[in-house]
Amino acid sequence: MKTIIEPFRIKMVEPIKLTTREQRAQFMQAANYNPFLLRAEDVVIDLLTDSGTSAMSAEAWGAMMRGDESYAGARSWYRFRDTVKDIFGFEQVIPTHQGRAAESILFGVMVNADSIVPNNTHFDTTRANIEFNHGTALDLPCAEASDLESDYPFKGNMDIAALEKLVAAEGPERIPLIMVTVTNNSGGGQPVSMANIREISRIARGAGIPFYIDACRFAENGHFIKRREAEFKDVSSIDIAREMFSYADGCTMSAKKDAFANIGGFLCTNDADLAHRERNILILTEGFPTYGGLAGRDLEAIAVGLREILDEDYLDYRLLSTRYVVEHLRELGIPVVVPAGGHAVYLDARRFLPHIEPLQYPGQSLAVELYLEAGVRGVEIGTVMFGSDPHTGEEKPARLDLVRLAIPRRVYTQSHMDYVVEGINLVWERRKDIRGMRIVKAPQFLRHFTAVFDWI
Ligand code: F0G
């Protein structure tokens, strides 16, 4: 059969409220042209994030009923810990309420004002947690990452030569850890190859620097490895994951992504002393080491989700359904980042709206227009998000102006995606009439969440 189907059927549904263009114009004006400030129920297709928005399985809901809510040493904790150890292979597992809590604990113990932490591309919470500890977060994406139109298969890779140079110059004295983010969210959801991970590990181990993986989308990354790196074509998802993590000394994880959970995360390491210090902070900020800010039922859901995410039919469907949207947009001539990543579709707002200057926020205009046209909510990843220096207030264009349409796992069907493609195309057809935006009011830090906009 050539038709790819969603490899699940629907047992429980949530109605979508359909709205008219007039209603959406009112909702968007009331939200000050910032999609973050819309009410979710006024959104037809919500592609703001794939984080915490997945549909859980009957199996996971069933497991939640069995959650052991004992304060210490609950059955659910052991189930969670053993599942994490089996897949990720690290000796020490520290549960947290979500990914950024794991980052906060890790960088709290490892980073100081002299520290430089390289990554392929830091996600914004990773960067912010390093900077909060007065360290420097350094992005070292591979050269191929900057060509949005090339079909290079591993655009998430780290620039190995640049890493080698940095390590030679600064050494373990200034580099407390090296990180790599799989898939590279801020770089378009692009995968990192096993070959690249091996190289990073070789450099890190050679210099005695711990190597950590930001593992949020590890299963999607593993499946790209399976499909694109010949050596892995017959290797199972779990063995690909095990090999990937075998090269690392620890990881941070948001279970809100590749564990299908609505909340949760963890931090892993093989270093027992480090884990001891991390658990001391955990108790202060998250909770006892056998629940770390989560209910027993959450630990159960994560344990089930981590196994389910490694199902190869699911992973085939996941990567193909994202590619489905990208290919359709490409056929229509709509500028989109290629090749398709795992969890999201990224529209290139600068090429979509070339008549709008970066400082008039083409990504924001496009995100707003998509909502007005079709009720689709995406997020600007560009000059609004990155263009302002929080210390000086100085504005300059970000490297890229993109709109991210992140696809929640197992939530929307192919006809929902056809609707999204049609909506984008209707905006594309009237692109010449679309105006830029200005910021009326914005806070100093992380301004994209709450800024107030208006049309120019
Ligand atoms: N690392 C990466 C690569 C992420 O994408 C995220 C979250 C985090 C860390 C933090 O995890 O949200 O559980 O605290 N990304 C979400 C997104 C928010 O929409 O891309 P968290």
Side-chain angles (χ1 to χ4, degrees), residues 33 353-366 368-369 384 431-439 453-456:
Y33 300 97
L353 300 171
H355 57 288
I356 300 180
E357 298 287 313
L359 291 179
Q360 296 182 358
Y361 315 119
Q364 193 68 21
S365 290
L366 182 52
V368 168
E369 287 291 350
V384 173
R431 62 191 177 278
K432 293 201 170 58
D433 301 327
I434 294 173
R435 282 176 292 159
M437 307 210 77
R438 63 190 177 86
I439 292 180
F453 297 87
D454 207 347
W455 296 113
I456 284 179

Side-chain angles (χ1 to χ4, degrees), residues 49 98-100 103 123 181 185 214 216-217 254 257 404:
T49 179
Q98 62 182 79
R100 68 198 70 181
E103 294 162 5
F123 181 65
T181 304
N185 185 7
D214 177 339
C216 296
R217 299 176 181 88
S254 167
K257 283 81 167 176
R404 185 184 79 169

Side-chain angles (χ1 to χ4, degrees), residues 6-85:
E6 288 86 359
F8 47 82
R9 50 186 188 168
I10 296 163
K11 200 186 199 77
M12 198 192 286
V13 297
E14 240 183 324
I16 292 176
K17 188 174 90 185
L18 300 177
T19 50
T20 63
R21 194 174 215 290
E22 289 66 40
Q23 287 173 314
R24 291 194 292 271
Q26 282 171 14
F27 296 145
M28 192 42 112
Q29 193 182 17
N32 292 310
Y33 300 97
N34 186 339
F36 277 107
L37 304 180
L38 288 166
R39 279 171 177 258
E41 65 176 4
D42 296 334
V43 175
V44 179
I45 306 282
D46 203 347
L47 306 181
L48 191 62
T49 179
D50 65 318
S51 179
T53 52
S54 301
M56 291 205 305
S57 64
E59 196 64 37
W61 281 110
M64 283 186 87
M65 293 303 291
R66 293 196 301 271
D68 177 354
E69 305 303 342
S70 306
Y71 189 90
R75 196 172 53 241
S76 303
W77 150 251
Y78 289 106
R79 187 160 177 224
F80 167 89
R81 186 200 64 179
D82 293 347
T83 307
V84 173
K85 278 187 158 188

Side-chain angles (χ1 to χ4, degrees), residues 235-246:
V235 182
S236 68
S237 314
I238 193 164
D239 285 338
I240 292 175
R242 285 173 179 149
E243 177 166 345
M244 205 156 79
F245 294 106
S246 75

Side-chain angles (χ1 to χ4, degrees), residues 204-219:
R205 289 189 175 162
I209 300 172
F211 169 36
Y212 275 69
I213 297 181
D214 177 339
C216 296
R217 299 176 181 88
F218 76 100

Side-chain angles (χ1 to χ4, degrees), residues 289-306:
T290 64
Y291 74 87
L294 294 169
R297 65 181 80 98
D298 299 323
L299 297 167
E300 292 280 346
I302 296 166
V304 173
L306 284 173

Side-chain angles (χ1 to χ4, degrees), residues 171-292:
E173 297 74 27
R174 293 204 59 194
I175 307 173
L177 72 160
I178 296 169
M179 274 194 115
V180 72
T181 304
V182 299
T183 55
N184 186 1
N185 185 7
S186 311
Q190 301 290 328
V192 181
S193 70
M194 193 74 88
N196 196 251
I197 291 171
R198 286 177 183 149
E199 284 289 281
I200 299 167
S201 180
R202 179 183 59 77
I203 295 167
R205 289 189 175 162
I209 300 172
F211 169 36
Y212 275 69
I213 297 181
D214 177 339
C216 296
R217 299 176 181 88
F218 76 100
E220 291 173 8
N221 198 87
H223 210 56
F224 278 118
I225 288 175
K226 184 175 172 103
R227 295 287 175 242
R228 295 182 184 172
E229 253 175 312
E231 182 188 341
F232 293 95
K233 74 178 188 347
D234 298 318
V235 182
S236 68
S237 314
I238 193 164
D239 285 338
I240 292 175
R242 285 173 179 149
E243 177 166 345
M244 205 156 79
F245 294 106
S246 75
Y247 298 120
D249 302 293
C251 75
T252 56
M253 172 72 183
S254 167
K256 301 173 75 172
K257 283 81 167 176
D258 272 0
F260 292 119
N262 301 127
I263 197 73
F266 50 87
L267 170 63
C268 292
T269 170
N270 286 326
D271 181 336
D273 286 340
L274 184 70
H276 179 73
R277 285 189 283 144
E278 289 169 344
R279 287 197 182 96
N280 288 341
I281 301 180
L282 184 82
I283 293 174
L284 208 61
T285 57
E286 294 280 290
F288 192 73
T290 64
Y291 74 87

